[in-house]
Amino acid sequence: AQTVTQSQPEMSVQEAETVTLSCTYDTSESDYYLFWYKQPPSRQMILVIRQEAYKQQNATENRFSVNFQKAAKSFSLKISDSQLGDAAMYFCAYRSGRVTDKLIFGTGTRLQVFP
Amino acid sequence: NAGVTQTPKFRVLKTGQSMTLLCAQDMNHEYMYWYRQDPGMGLRLIHYSVGEGTTAKGEVPDGYNVSRLKKQNFLLGLESAAPSQTSVYFCASSRFGLAGISYEQYFGPGTRLTVT
């Protein structure tokens, strides 16, 4: 079975600085997708960024980028120029390449942003 | 578009009571999911559906039943609520994903359920 591990329960960063959130996963599949979701205090789950395993290039979305190390099964999220609105829970998630499309989530990292 | 909506937003039940959570999506998505979120455990899949009239078990299905009679609705039922079912419940939906294509799951705002 696939598992997703986020070993940092909490992280903090100063406004305008850069922070990296870690995620590792375990799978025997070669076709899969990885995601980072943001959950602010409103509880709404918001997709931040996604990575297809077959793509070697790391995904980027504005201030958010990933470091995808397929051999090491590592998928970290880098947030540049942190803003107060980035404060939230961040969840790493895995989806098999099979059609059923189920997401497996990590336990989350709470990010605090200080002015 | 309202996206994914959930009813109710909050509910308190006594042990043994039953209730149904309603999820509705207006994006014509084929797939729908129910997750529960507990402190320190992330989201876990309860049941899911790949189309109208079909349902399947997820990671933590015990104590729950689901139905998908209409494509836009996915109901989660608790027949006899237990304190262990105190949680935040999220519904999500996504387009049909062929192999090699992954579509985003859109989440509802969640339902906070407390069982006393």
Side-chain angles (χ1 to χ4, degrees):
Chain A
Q2 296 83 20
T3 58
V4 177
T5 302
Q6 293 179 252
S7 58
Q8 304 157 316
E10 290 191 6
M11 292 284 285
S12 61
V13 63
Q14 206 90 27
E15 206 175 359
E17 296 295 309
T18 296
V19 65
T20 299
L21 308 184
S22 300
C23 173
T24 58
Y25 59 95
D26 189 28
T27 184
S28 58
E29 299 179 325
S30 58
D31 181 24
Y32 53 88
Y33 306 84
L34 298 164
F35 306 85
W36 279 98
Y37 278 86
K38 171 184 178 181
Q39 187 180 41
S42 66
R43 288 202 314 240
Q44 185 69 49
M45 295 289 287
I46 302 164
L47 179 65
V48 174
I49 200 165
R50 60 192 285 162
Q51 175 79 43
E52 289 83 351
Y54 62 84
K55 290 187 177 179
Q56 292 186 338
Q57 188 173 6
N58 288 329
T60 62
E61 287 287 343
N62 301 314
R63 297 182 297 107
F64 297 88
S65 62
V66 300
N67 183 5
F68 174 47
Q69 307 269 337
K70 191 170 183 179
K73 295 180 182 173
S74 171
F75 182 60
S76 60
L77 174 69
K78 185 171 84 171
I79 306 174
S80 304
D81 186 25
S82 297
Q83 300 174 0
L84 294 177
D86 294 333
M89 282 290 288
Y90 286 83
F91 291 95
C92 179
Y94 170 102
R95 180 212 165 221
S96 168
R98 293 171 297 172
V99 177
T100 49
D101 204 34
K102 294 176 287 184
L103 283 174
I104 299 170
F105 286 87
T107 52
T109 296
R110 182 174 300 283
L111 178 66
Q112 292 182 303
V113 182
F114 295 103
Chain B
N1 282 354
V4 180
T5 58
Q6 293 182 230
T7 309
K9 289 187 168 51
F10 302 93
R11 185 72 186 268
V12 178
L13 287 180
K14 289 186 173 10
T15 298
Q17 287 184 320
S18 63
M19 76 163 295
T20 300
L21 281 65
L22 171 64
C23 175
Q25 52 93 5
D26 60 3
M27 297 174 280
N28 201 34
H29 286 170
E30 290 80 9
Y31 291 175
M32 297 188 74
Y33 316 81
W34 275 107
Y35 295 90
R36 60 177 287 173
Q37 183 179 27
D38 301 299
M41 299 191 73
L43 279 75
R44 292 180 293 168
L45 184 66
I46 305 171
H47 286 279
Y48 65 100
S49 168
V50 299
E52 184 178 324
T54 70
T55 63
K57 293 180 180 180
E59 183 185 355
V60 288
D62 293 343
Y64 305 95
N65 56 75
V66 288
S67 63
R68 183 105 180 263
L69 299 179
K70 294 183 179 181
K71 185 177 184 179
Q72 64 268 33
N73 295 337
F74 195 30
L75 279 63
L76 178 71
L78 287 73
E79 289 187 348
S80 180
S84 60
Q85 294 177 304
T86 293
S87 188
V88 179
Y89 292 85
F90 286 95
C91 177
S93 71
S94 69
R95 289 175 59 184
F96 174 69
L98 293 170
I101 300 174
S102 174
Y103 293 111
E104 177 183 354
Q105 286 193 16
Y106 292 82
F107 285 82
T111 295
R112 183 176 293 280
L113 174 66
T114 302
V115 183
T116 60

